[in-house]
Amino acid sequence: MSCRHGAAACIAVALSIQFVASADLRAATAATPELTGLQRAALADRRAYDTLRALTEQVGQRFAGSEGDAKAVQWALATLQAQGFSNVRAEPVTVPHWVRGTAEVTLLGSSSTPLRALALGGSVGTDGRALEAPVLAVTTVAELERLSTEQVRGRIVFLYDRMLETRDGMDYGNTVRNRSAGAIAAAKRGALALVIRAVGTEDDDRPHTGTMRYADGVPRIPAFAIGNRSADRLLEAFGSGPVTLRIASTSRCAGTAQSANVIGEIPGRDAGTPQEQFVVLAAHLDSWDVGTGAQDDGAGIAIVTEAARRIAELPQRPRRTLRVVLYANEEFGLSGGKQYVLDHAAELDRHVAALEADLGAGRAFRFESRVAASDLPTAIRIGQSLAPLGVPFVSNDTGGGADIGPLRERGVPVFELQQDAAKYFEIHHTDADRLEQVDASDLAFNVAAYATVAQALAEAPDLQHLARTWPAPQEGGHPCEWRP
Amino acid sequence: MSCRHGAAACIAVALSIQFVASADLRAATAATPELTGLQRAALADRRAYDTLRALTEQVGQRFAGSEGDAKAVQWALATLQAQGFSNVRAEPVTVPHWVRGTAEVTLLGSSSTPLRALALGGSVGTDGRALEAPVLAVTTVAELERLSTEQVRGRIVFLYDRMLETRDGMDYGNTVRNRSAGAIAAAKRGALALVIRAVGTEDDDRPHTGTMRYADGVPRIPAFAIGNRSADRLLEAFGSGPVTLRIASTSRCAGTAQSANVIGEIPGRDAGTPQEQFVVLAAHLDSWDVGTGAQDDGAGIAIVTEAARRIAELPQRPRRTLRVVLYANEEFGLSGGKQYVLDHAAELDRHVAALEADLGAGRAFRFESRVAASDLPTAIRIGQSLAPLGVPFVSNDTGGGADIGPLRERGVPVFELQQDAAKYFEIHHTDADRLEQVDASDLAFNVAAYATVAQALAEAPDLQHLARTWPAPQEGGHPCEWRP
């Protein structure tokens, strides 16, 4: 086997070889001269990187409800205006606000060993008071749920499963449950606090933050993530007997604040008429409060704005209107995504498709859809327009993305360009998520891919809406008791 | 980041660096001079490879109920005897038998394109008659289950999700559901046949077989796997409109046959007394009928027999008896695993632990357990004895393995040496599963790792049994209507 970069790369290589071998490249790939020209131009793009640089340098962190969040809304309005988008506006969204404060997690023993820690997003604090307790080490929430109150009561629970690096980040879903559901499961059994091995793949000691849940009627206990090396050290300590930790924190919820979904459009040929249809290009404007959100989701903002702008520069206007939506507060409660479908309920039937960029700057390596079975040929044809970029169509079972989830639940077909996430989860939700982690040519590649799909969606045959679905039930709710 | 081989490698490297940096290597690693000597000797082992060569050359395929299966039982008895095991015996197991016959899957169009296909294990055939029908392409069973009878009736369903290569094979669980549950979901909605993209990670065109299920009251439709290139070609055809396949097969169920669990022991210091305790070292004797089962599970047989033999050669007998169990028919209904717990019900409380090798010859890269929370320090100490091999303890949430699943469900603690499966799923259940795919030094590494854990388990403090659990309910049963 010469395919050293994972199966998906092999799919891509195999498909592009098949396509190149075809007698009529354009017919086989559905890549029109217009699309091929768009791709070539976009591959040389550096404007997306300039946009990202401006965002990270002029705004920086933009956690929901923070000063940076308000600055980001102003920056986005000014940027979309300057880039020539139409109908630029901010649609108000109320967001919860949480203040991180301090976080201490110390391994006690013959000497005290401080571990690198961050509070999980929304965690209660201890008012700064130290709490010492014996530790119970458990791999996963599922394992914790098999334990009795007797085994857990009075302990600090340490969940130590580690996320494995893969190209599509598939282990995130497995391991993030420790972060989101761990505090509820631990507190139900009488635990005093939760410490998790950070959900991150790097061989380093970075704590990764991220949102968590509390449930009504279950005590709210402080929750922290520690870096991978800290987690290894803590786990190793168990080989010699009982382990004690000291924790302290000043985290707290701090009410709500005003933010906004920022929107700009490339008007289609039917713009302004009752026949106008929309293709949503999505990214989220907020970031976590550590780092500057360069990859999460600065990269997505740079990609979708630049993809739309390149289509605006084509000689002919697209059939459908491309609506770039930079969503408020994805990270800490999906406020913007939930608000958008309420604000636009009357025109959702004219939302033909949605495509989100929220997996950093790694290069797209496969294309997926969720369309009606009868529209699969259309999805495959759109996928074939990506053949010059070596990106194969592989699935009609994507979730699309977090911000466009509420659109999908209401029946809007969604598409996904799965980006290479092998490095993404090394810095995801950490203070290392900064501009220097993003490669300008990766961004340009994605501009080419997203622009291709956006343009193909703007011109494609009509797509049926799907049956409405409801999100899977989960225990607990927003840690700051915020309701959309 | 200099860690290029996945997070788990980084864990291993990081831990081994920590251990080497330790002031007292032996204390920190729990690797006694005896264990270190065992590891050094085993790393130079070539006897496991000789065992594997003998099995694949003298027996070859040994599918449950086949002539090869009977030969394998005789071979195993003779081999364990010759290698000095005690109490060597065959414990009878009734197994289902299925005959593969022919499989044709042809893409019809302006020209006919034969696709590389195998029947799924247990599939009904068509008595050799050709069946032509339009194809409905669907990514996964989950997606298929959202479709109506109207959309599926009269079609051949094509499930095309592709397994992504990872170090721990984690995507197998996601994608194998197309194989195991696809025919039921398709037939419930009126489909005439099922074709799946083979569950395999290679950029090649090998069909991978494997077992499937049928359900009472649901029509039994023929089911096939096609290679990855064939699947790409079939999917691509949809971009140009409707697609028709012709299928035919002579597969059939053929009653039951006699096989056996083959057992050999390294007697512990309490052997023959009522205090005798057992550590089970497991692998499975059967294979699929294509290839010669060199990695699945010839490698496992070679590893566990050699690991036990090396412990037998130590100056002192182990405290507990090491019981090597080569299970009958893992692949096509887990007959041996289910029979073993019935045959040994009276002594299960003296089964202290079980460890299975059934993931080929790739090197172990992490160690996992499922023990009572209070026994975690013991599991971590056992894991620390693997430090010289760079294998870290990472989880107390393993399932252990298929054959020892019935032991785990009855409370026996299980352990797992997770082997590198990046290449395993390229040839799993295909005619390429042959001796040349197995590297002798990889086998030797695993002999060292399994011998270390087996010896540590033989001498460890007593381990509590876990609460009894029951397997998750699944729809349907054995495709040949066999009941254990």
Side-chain angles (χ1 to χ4, degrees):
Chain A
M1 288 295 304
S2 61
C3 249
R4 299 186 179 279
H5 303 291
C10 297
I11 307 177
V13 169
L15 273 185
S16 61
I17 289 169
Q18 286 178 22
F19 285 128
V20 169
S22 164
D24 181 345
L25 180 66
R26 278 172 302 173
T29 63
T32 61
E34 185 180 58
L35 278 177
T36 307
L38 182 64
Q39 289 167 356
R40 284 206 184 133
L43 286 172
D45 175 79
R46 288 301 177 271
R47 296 191 308 205
Y49 190 77
D50 292 341
T51 301
L52 179 61
R53 179 194 293 277
L55 173 63
T56 53
E57 293 183 352
Q58 294 166 25
V59 180
Q61 78 78 19
R62 45 202 180 276
F63 184 55
S66 71
E67 208 175 298
D69 189 26
K71 264 170 83 177
V73 170
Q74 295 310 315
W75 173 89
L77 287 168
T79 299
L80 293 181
Q81 286 282 8
Q83 293 186 349
F85 283 84
S86 299
N87 304 325
V88 174
R89 74 261 194 198
E91 299 183 342
V93 178
T94 302
V95 300
H97 187 49
W98 171 79
V99 177
R100 172 172 301 286
T102 59
E104 181 203 340
V105 178
T106 302
L107 174 59
L108 302 180
S110 52
S111 63
S112 289
T113 309
L115 303 178
R116 280 212 59 202
L118 281 177
L120 295 185
S123 175
V124 297
T126 66
D127 290 326
R129 286 191 289 270
L131 183 163
E132 291 183 16
V135 182
L136 177 68
V138 183
T139 316
T140 60
V141 173
E143 190 185 343
L144 177 58
E145 286 166 346
R146 295 196 294 268
L147 299 183
S148 66
T149 298
E150 194 174 52
Q151 293 170 292
V152 179
R153 189 190 294 125
R155 311 286 197 104
I156 294 171
V157 166
F158 170 44
L159 297 176
Y160 58 86
D161 198 16
R162 177 164 171 161
M163 181 180 169
L164 199 75
E165 179 184 310
T166 70
R167 201 168 183 213
D168 69 349
M170 72 171 80
D171 205 29
Y172 187 64
N174 301 333
T175 46
V176 78
R177 221 181 143 239
N178 282 356
R179 192 189 79 204
S180 57
I184 298 173
K188 273 187 177 176
R189 291 161 182 80
L192 302 180
L194 173 75
V195 174
I196 67 165
R197 180 195 285 274
V199 184
T201 57
E202 79 283 13
D203 176 34
D204 210 324
D205 206 19
R206 284 194 279 272
H208 298 237
T209 190
T211 198
M212 59 175 294
R213 297 195 301 272
Y214 288 130
D216 289 343
V218 180
R220 293 165 177 252
I221 60 175
F224 306 86
I226 59 175
N228 266 323
R229 286 180 193 269
S230 288
D232 290 342
R233 175 173 291 204
L234 181 51
L235 191 57
E236 200 186 321
F238 282 88
S240 318
V243 172
T244 302
L245 280 180
R246 181 174 67 226
I247 59 124
S249 154
T250 60
S251 301
R252 63 185 175 86
C253 293
T256 59
Q258 281 303 301
S259 184
N261 291 330
V262 177
I263 294 178
E265 294 175 349
I266 307 299
R269 300 195 286 278
D270 291 332
T273 76
Q275 286 74 48
E276 182 177 18
Q277 292 184 331
F278 303 97
V279 172
V280 168
L281 299 181
H284 65 82
L285 190 52
D286 66 306
S287 73
W288 276 100
D289 53 337
V290 292
T292 62
Q295 70 167 23
D296 187 9
D297 184 25
I301 292 169
I303 291 165
V304 298
T305 54
E306 189 55 32
R309 202 175 164 197
R310 292 207 165 257
I311 292 169
E313 290 167 358
L314 293 176
Q316 199 192 11
R317 285 167 70 178
R319 173 180 161 209
R320 301 189 174 99
T321 293
L322 296 178
R323 178 178 283 174
V324 169
V325 185
L326 306 181
Y327 286 92
N329 187 30
E330 185 270 345
E331 298 291 359
F332 195 51
L334 220 60
S335 315
K338 292 171 179 167
Q339 188 64 46
Y340 180 89
V341 293
L342 301 176
D343 293 347
H344 297 270
E347 61 180 23
L348 286 186
D349 57 339
R350 292 186 286 130
H351 280 60
V352 171
L355 173 69
E356 176 159 0
D358 183 18
L359 207 65
R363 294 181 182 222
F365 68 94
R366 63 186 192 205
F367 176 59
E368 307 182 34
S369 62
R370 181 171 294 196
V371 299
S374 55
D375 286 330
L376 185 70
T378 300
I380 289 175
R381 291 285 292 174
I382 294 171
Q384 287 171 340
S385 65
L386 292 161
L389 300 174
V391 178
F393 175 87
V394 297
S395 156
N396 191 35
D397 207 21
T398 183
D403 291 296
I404 61 175
L407 284 169
R408 184 196 69 236
E409 288 159 15
R410 282 158 184 79
V412 177
V414 294
F415 295 81
E416 183 173 14
L417 279 158
Q418 176 79 48
Q419 295 174 223
D420 190 323
K423 297 294 149 193
Y424 182 77
F425 289 101
E426 294 183 352
I427 63 166
H428 179 244
H429 295 185
T430 74
D431 61 7
D433 183 0
R434 296 177 182 278
L435 183 66
E436 57 265 31
Q437 302 283 350
V438 174
D439 182 276
S441 66
D442 287 351
L443 268 187
F445 180 90
N446 288 322
V447 169
Y450 281 81
T452 299
V453 175
Q455 171 67 4
L457 287 171
E459 301 292 349
D462 282 356
L463 294 166
Q464 283 183 52
H465 268 215
L466 302 163
R468 180 167 177 155
T469 57
W470 279 262
Q474 59 183 23
E475 188 176 18
H478 198 279
C480 289
E481 300 188 87
W482 164 84
R483 298 280 182 280
Chain B
M1 287 295 305
S2 62
C3 248
R4 299 185 178 282
H5 302 291
C10 296
I11 306 179
V13 170
L15 274 185
S16 60
I17 289 170
Q18 286 178 20
F19 285 128
V20 170
S22 163
D24 181 345
L25 180 67
R26 277 172 302 172
T29 63
T32 60
E34 186 180 57
L35 278 177
T36 307
L38 182 64
Q39 289 167 355
R40 284 206 183 131
L43 285 172
D45 176 79
R46 287 300 176 271
R47 296 191 309 207
Y49 190 78
D50 292 340
T51 302
L52 179 62
R53 178 193 294 278
L55 173 63
T56 54
E57 292 183 353
Q58 294 166 24
V59 180
Q61 78 77 21
R62 46 202 179 275
F63 184 55
S66 71
E67 209 174 297
D69 189 26
K71 263 171 84 176
V73 170
Q74 295 311 315
W75 174 89
L77 286 168
T79 300
L80 293 180
Q81 286 282 7
Q83 293 187 348
F85 283 84
S86 300
N87 303 325
V88 174
R89 73 259 193 201
E91 298 184 342
V93 179
T94 302
V95 298
H97 188 49
W98 171 79
V99 177
R100 172 171 302 286
T102 60
E104 181 201 341
V105 178
T106 303
L107 173 58
L108 302 180
S110 53
S111 63
S112 288
T113 309
L115 304 178
R116 281 211 60 203
L118 281 177
L120 295 186
S123 175
V124 297
T126 66
D127 290 326
R129 285 191 289 269
L131 182 163
E132 291 183 16
V135 182
L136 177 69
V138 183
T139 316
T140 60
V141 174
E143 191 185 344
L144 177 59
E145 285 166 347
R146 295 196 294 267
L147 300 183
S148 66
T149 298
E150 194 174 52
Q151 293 170 292
V152 180
R153 189 190 295 123
R155 313 286 197 102
I156 295 171
V157 167
F158 170 45
L159 298 177
Y160 59 86
D161 198 16
R162 177 163 172 161
M163 182 181 169
L164 198 75
E165 179 183 311
T166 70
R167 199 167 185 214
D168 69 349
M170 71 171 80
D171 207 28
Y172 187 63
N174 301 333
T175 46
V176 78
R177 221 181 142 239
N178 282 355
R179 191 188 80 204
S180 55
I184 298 172
K188 272 186 178 177
R189 290 160 181 81
L192 302 180
L194 174 75
V195 174
I196 68 164
R197 180 195 285 273
V199 184
T201 58
E202 79 282 15
D203 176 34
D204 210 324
D205 206 17
R206 284 193 280 271
H208 298 237
T209 190
T211 198
M212 59 174 297
R213 297 196 300 271
Y214 288 129
D216 289 344
V218 179
R220 293 166 177 251
I221 60 175
F224 306 86
I226 60 174
N228 266 323
R229 286 179 193 271
S230 288
D232 290 343
R233 174 173 291 204
L234 181 51
L235 192 57
E236 202 185 320
F238 282 87
S240 318
V243 172
T244 301
L245 281 179
R246 181 174 67 226
I247 59 126
S249 155
T250 60
S251 300
R252 62 183 176 87
C253 293
T256 58
Q258 280 303 300
S259 184
N261 291 331
V262 178
I263 295 178
E265 294 175 348
I266 308 299
R269 300 195 287 275
D270 291 332
T273 76
Q275 286 74 48
E276 182 177 17
Q277 293 183 330
F278 303 97
V279 172
V280 168
L281 299 182
H284 66 82
L285 191 52
D286 66 306
S287 73
W288 275 101
D289 54 337
V290 293
T292 61
Q295 71 167 22
D296 188 7
D297 186 25
I301 292 170
I303 291 165
V304 298
T305 53
E306 188 56 31
R309 200 175 166 197
R310 293 209 165 255
I311 293 170
E313 290 167 357
L314 293 176
Q316 199 192 11
R317 285 168 72 179
R319 174 181 161 206
R320 302 189 173 98
T321 293
L322 295 178
R323 178 178 282 175
V324 169
V325 185
L326 306 181
Y327 285 93
N329 187 31
E330 185 270 346
E331 298 291 0
F332 195 53
L334 219 60
S335 316
K338 291 170 178 167
Q339 188 64 46
Y340 180 89
V341 294
L342 300 177
D343 294 347
H344 296 270
E347 60 181 21
L348 286 187
D349 57 339
R350 292 186 286 130
H351 280 60
V352 171
L355 173 69
E356 177 159 359
D358 184 18
L359 207 66
R363 293 180 183 223
F365 68 94
R366 65 186 192 204
F367 176 59
E368 307 183 33
S369 62
R370 180 171 294 198
V371 298
S374 55
D375 286 330
L376 185 69
T378 300
I380 290 175
R381 291 284 294 173
I382 294 171
Q384 286 170 341
S385 66
L386 292 161
L389 300 174
V391 178
F393 174 87
V394 297
S395 156
N396 191 36
D397 208 20
T398 183
D403 292 297
I404 60 175
L407 284 170
R408 183 195 71 237
E409 288 160 15
R410 282 158 184 80
V412 177
V414 294
F415 294 82
E416 183 174 13
L417 279 158
Q418 175 79 49
Q419 294 175 224
D420 190 324
K423 298 293 150 193
Y424 181 77
F425 288 101
E426 293 184 352
I427 63 167
H428 179 244
H429 296 186
T430 74
D431 61 8
D433 183 1
R434 295 178 183 277
L435 183 65
E436 57 267 31
Q437 302 283 350
V438 175
D439 181 276
S441 66
D442 287 351
L443 269 187
F445 180 90
N446 287 324
V447 169
Y450 281 81
T452 300
V453 175
Q455 171 68 5
L457 286 171
E459 300 292 349
D462 282 357
L463 294 166
Q464 283 185 51
H465 267 216
L466 302 164
R468 180 169 177 153
T469 57
W470 279 261
Q474 61 183 22
E475 187 175 18
H478 197 279
C480 289
E481 301 188 86
W482 164 84
R483 299 278 184 281

